[in-house]
Amino acid sequence: MRPMNLPNLLTLARILLIPIFVLVYVMPGYGTYLVAAMLFGLAAFTDWLDGYLARRLNQTTPFGAFLDPVADKLIVVAALTILIGHHASLWLTLPALVIIGREIVISALREWMAEMNRRGVIAVTWFARAKTTFQMVAIVVLIANPPDLTRPWVITGYVLLYLSAVMTLISMVLYIQAAWPTLRHGFTQQGAGNQTP
């Protein structure tokens, strides 16, 4: 099956949207916040659409399985990074760093599981999907508004971001619990290999 099918093209389009919504967001003017939020929302929508089409059209590929989570992490990290810089607030930085840190940990964990031929052990759960939904909504709300904590929508965005950060930690614990037998087995093998006779 060709790697460049429609779902994979949508995933690539999501990656190409990253510099566009970042540039729009940092441009001066209130209207650019709304445009940047719409671009980010469009990118988030393609995340759902490419997965739906891949299953519906039976066009899942190894390349798509690799590229889709990479695109997701790139767009979330890019959005949180510009929000951290623009808000310059510890109250936004803390949950954003939790979310970014979790993405790094889970990426490393998935790579480890792939090395151990146990990638399917930490498949995406409904809780992780719910976490992603809260996360995306929080980011859209925050991007759509100037960094002004007197605005109700900005406060709403902060609350949603904290909620998604808590869900992020819970989902990370669930992933680690699912992977722990494999991790423990790998550590045991490594320790045995390092012993000298």
Side-chain angles (χ1 to χ4, degrees):
M1 185 177 294
R2 295 183 305 167
M4 280 300 106
N5 53 33
L6 179 57
N8 291 345
L9 288 174
L10 286 172
T11 304
L12 285 173
R14 183 156 78 256
I15 295 175
L16 293 176
L17 277 173
I18 295 173
I20 299 174
F21 90 77
V22 169
L23 287 173
V24 172
Y25 181 78
V26 299
M27 290 172 62
Y30 176 74
T32 59
Y33 292 126
L34 296 175
V35 175
M38 287 189 290
L39 290 171
F40 181 87
L42 177 62
F45 175 71
T46 65
D47 180 25
W48 171 82
L49 184 61
D50 61 19
Y52 172 79
L53 290 177
R55 294 185 297 270
R56 182 82 174 185
L57 303 176
N58 194 25
Q59 292 184 347
T60 56
T61 63
F63 179 70
F66 157 76
L67 190 64
D68 185 65
V70 170
D72 296 344
K73 288 171 177 54
L74 283 175
I75 194 166
V76 168
V77 171
L80 290 175
T81 301
I82 61 172
L83 286 172
I84 288 173
H86 208 57
H87 282 245
S89 167
L90 179 64
W91 299 112
L92 185 138
T93 301
L94 288 176
L97 289 181
V98 167
I99 293 170
I100 293 172
R102 181 264 187 192
E103 297 298 345
I104 294 171
V105 170
I106 296 303
S107 294
L109 182 59
R110 287 184 181 277
E111 183 65 25
W112 172 274
M113 298 300 284
E115 289 290 328
M116 302 293 289
N117 293 320
R118 299 296 301 276
R119 181 185 295 272
V121 170
I122 52 173
V124 177
T125 63
W126 68 267
F127 188 85
R129 291 189 181 94
K131 178 269 303 178
T132 300
T133 300
F134 275 99
Q135 186 174 283
M136 293 300 187
V137 172
I139 293 173
V140 168
V141 170
L142 290 170
I143 289 177
N145 293 275
D148 183 358
L149 274 173
T150 64
R151 293 174 175 266
W153 277 112
V154 176
I155 297 173
T156 301
Y158 272 58
V159 171
L160 290 172
L161 193 65
Y162 270 89
L163 180 59
S164 64
V166 171
M167 296 177 72
T168 286
L169 290 175
I170 295 173
S171 69
M172 183 175 70
V173 171
L174 294 175
Y175 276 131
I176 292 174
Q177 284 180 338
W180 181 246
T182 304
L183 288 170
R184 185 174 56 186
H185 179 68
F187 292 148
T188 303
Q189 280 188 327
Q190 187 178 25
N194 289 336
Q195 292 179 357
T196 54

